[in-house]
Amino acid sequence: MTGIMKQTDTKSIVLGITGGIAAYKAAELVRLLIKQGMEVQVAMTEAACHFISATTMQALSGKPVLTSQWDENENGMAHINLSRQADAIVIAPATADFIAKLAHGMADDLLSAMCLARDCPLLVAPAMNRQMWERAATQRNISLLKADGVGILGPDSGLQACGEEGMGRMLEAAELALGIASCLHPKQMQGVKVLMTAGPTYEPIDAVRGITNRSSGKMGYAVAQAALNLGAEVTLVSGPVALQPPAGATVVRIETAQQMFDAVQARASDCDIFIGVAAVADYRVAHASAQKIKKDGQGMTLELVPNPDILAYVASLPKPPFCVGFAAESENLRDYAERKRRAKKLPLLAANLAQEAIGSEHNQLILFDEAGEHPLPRSGKQQQAQALLQHIIKLRG
Ligand code: C5P
């Protein structure tokens, strides 16, 4: 046999770039996908070429870029040939206009024709101004794509090129690269039952006041979403947060640490993996008042009693699931985290600096296991969650 044999696990991606300012992020995306061992064929719409040059994309991908359906070398069949070879087509950035075309099966240029003629999964990374994103027409088109089985990556919220702030920013290249990788290996956690906690707890002092913390639940919800993406069955025991629960998860809403403990205790024997992401209050008020406490101008002392340690309880069950802890520290991160992992008898603990993680969209976890520590590069919480789950999968064999 002559020629270079293609490794069977090498994934071929068609990266479609449409005409938005986020096209510059596609350059970094190509680099990251190739670093993950993928082959990337870039196809650009005419509008995309106004934002980033085909020469740049050709240099990064190592392949001629497709821009026209009238290329003589392809015999007019690029849309069929390429879709047969690809493991996935990824559109990043996907403009509102291109999303509308996809939703309605239009095929008036090479890229839309390739999407229509494809034989592989299609992933779309929307990128547009927030009002274009919020417009009913766009939301309708996104619903149509979802119903057709198209994967939607993002968008994110934040500062936009137009100077406005809101939903519609394309995910960062690193987040997209991980999202693409997990879509290409979707069944890694099929049949695996994941029980997890997320968010803060709320410990009442009286009828209207309580003790809580600044956990937003974003990290825990990202872990739940990432596990769902990999095919896991997810039960999420969540403290009070302002987040939309990930579709497909069984959500148990609680307020206090004791309620979280009860909910976990009832389910701990029926799970394969337990992940404690919640920022559980260590103490509760010994005698919470059923009525609002009236001030009397004097000082006041609250008696606090310790809450049960939910994670330590699960990890010490006779047949514990694979237990993963989180540690948010404000100093001595490495030292405290590894001590905590050993004290709670955990095979894996993810540590982060509280001041950098709590409430933030981003995070930088350091994973501690028996082999040592594994720092992750700083990125969005979804990407951190995906990397954490890949580590769990590796440790569980
Ligand atoms: O001891 P510390 O609170 O720092 O440990 C953090 C880890 O333990 C997190 O995974 C958290 O969800 C879990 N935890 C718990 N129950 C508690 C306190 C912490 O499950 N009462």
Side-chain angles (χ1 to χ4, degrees):
M1 188 184 281
T2 55
I4 300 167
M5 262 180 54
K6 187 181 157 185
Q7 283 180 301
T8 49
D9 58 354
T10 302
K11 301 288 183 192
S12 296
I13 303 291
V14 169
L15 175 62
I17 307 176
T18 69
I21 185 62
Y24 76 92
K25 294 184 187 173
E28 175 70 354
L29 178 58
V30 171
R31 215 181 55 77
L32 293 175
L33 294 177
I34 288 175
K35 209 168 145 198
Q36 283 185 10
M38 299 184 195
E39 283 177 5
V40 183
Q41 171 66 64
V42 176
M44 298 171 69
T45 62
E46 197 195 329
C49 298
H50 290 282
F51 288 92
I52 189 163
S53 85
T55 314
T56 301
M57 301 313 295
Q58 174 160 343
L60 290 169
S61 67
K63 292 180 199 285
V65 172
L66 299 163
T67 51
S68 164
Q69 57 193 337
W70 310 120
D71 186 337
E72 286 169 12
N73 297 332
E74 289 289 345
N75 195 21
M77 286 296 154
H79 59 299
I80 305 288
N81 296 339
L82 280 163
S83 77
R84 292 292 174 273
Q85 289 158 18
D87 292 296
I89 300 180
V90 179
I91 310 295
T95 58
D97 175 69
F98 198 78
I99 286 169
K101 281 169 70 168
L102 286 178
H104 297 283
M106 291 170 71
D108 62 352
D109 63 7
L110 178 63
L111 191 53
S112 53
M114 279 166 62
C115 292
L116 199 59
R118 79 185 186 279
D119 198 9
C120 61
L122 174 61
L123 301 172
V124 168
M128 64 197 76
N129 162 272
R130 71 177 170 84
Q131 277 171 323
M132 294 172 88
W133 172 252
E134 285 161 10
R135 189 69 55 215
T138 304
Q139 290 304 313
R140 257 196 321 273
N141 290 332
I142 289 287
S143 302
L144 284 174
L145 290 183
K146 282 185 182 165
D148 288 346
V150 174
I152 310 293
L153 303 171
D156 205 350
S157 69
L159 191 62
Q160 304 201 309
C162 53
E164 293 180 10
E165 189 125 13
M167 204 68 176
R169 268 179 82 225
M170 188 168 85
L171 293 183
E172 295 304 324
E175 292 169 305
L176 289 176
L178 255 165
I180 294 163
S182 71
C183 288
L184 288 174
H185 308 284
K187 305 281 180 233
Q188 279 174 301
M189 293 184 85
Q190 191 75 40
V192 176
K193 290 183 182 172
V194 177
L195 176 64
M196 35 177 311
T197 65
T201 64
Y202 177 88
E203 312 297 329
I205 296 172
D206 66 13
V208 293
R209 306 179 182 99
I211 299 171
T212 186
N213 59 65
R214 296 172 61 198
S215 166
S216 64
K218 283 178 192 160
M219 190 66 233
Y221 278 50
V223 173
Q225 182 64 66
L228 287 163
N229 290 349
L230 294 172
E233 222 176 274
V234 177
T235 302
L236 177 59
V237 181
S238 174
V241 295
L243 299 173
Q244 192 71 7
T250 302
V251 181
V252 183
R253 293 181 195 280
I254 54 82
E255 287 205 330
T256 67
Q258 185 62 48
Q259 290 165 352
M260 185 174 269
F261 180 73
D262 294 343
V264 167
Q265 194 180 29
R267 294 165 177 84
S269 61
D270 186 30
C271 70
D272 304 300
I273 299 174
F274 175 74
I275 312 177
V277 197
V280 186
D282 291 322
Y283 295 92
R284 66 178 179 276
V285 179
H287 307 287
S289 166
Q291 303 303 330
K292 184 179 172 191
I293 300 171
K294 304 302 289 178
K295 61 174 175 278
D296 61 5
Q298 301 297 306
M300 184 180 162
T301 305
L302 284 177
E303 188 192 345
L304 301 179
V305 291
N307 274 325
D309 190 315
I310 304 165
L311 179 59
Y313 162 82
V314 178
S316 64
L317 286 172
K319 281 189 189 164
F322 185 90
C323 284
V324 182
F326 267 72
E329 306 292 348
S330 59
E331 57 175 358
N332 295 338
L333 180 64
R334 290 185 157 78
D335 187 28
Y336 288 159
E338 180 55 12
R339 267 198 253 171
K340 198 166 285 183
R341 188 183 76 81
R342 289 182 187 280
K344 300 200 189 199
K345 298 191 178 69
L346 308 172
L348 179 63
L349 181 135
N352 47 216
L353 278 172
Q355 57 271 38
E356 286 186 7
I358 289 182
S360 165
E361 298 295 331
H362 296 87
N363 204 353
Q364 182 166 21
L365 295 174
I366 305 176
L367 307 183
F368 291 84
D369 60 19
E370 282 301 317
E373 60 177 71
H374 314 272
L376 301 181
R378 185 171 173 77
S379 66
K381 287 185 171 174
Q382 197 60 54
Q383 190 193 4
Q384 298 281 309
Q386 286 164 6
L388 171 67
L389 286 173
Q390 288 305 323
H391 202 81
I392 293 173
I393 289 167
K394 198 169 85 187
L395 289 184
R396 290 180 79 230

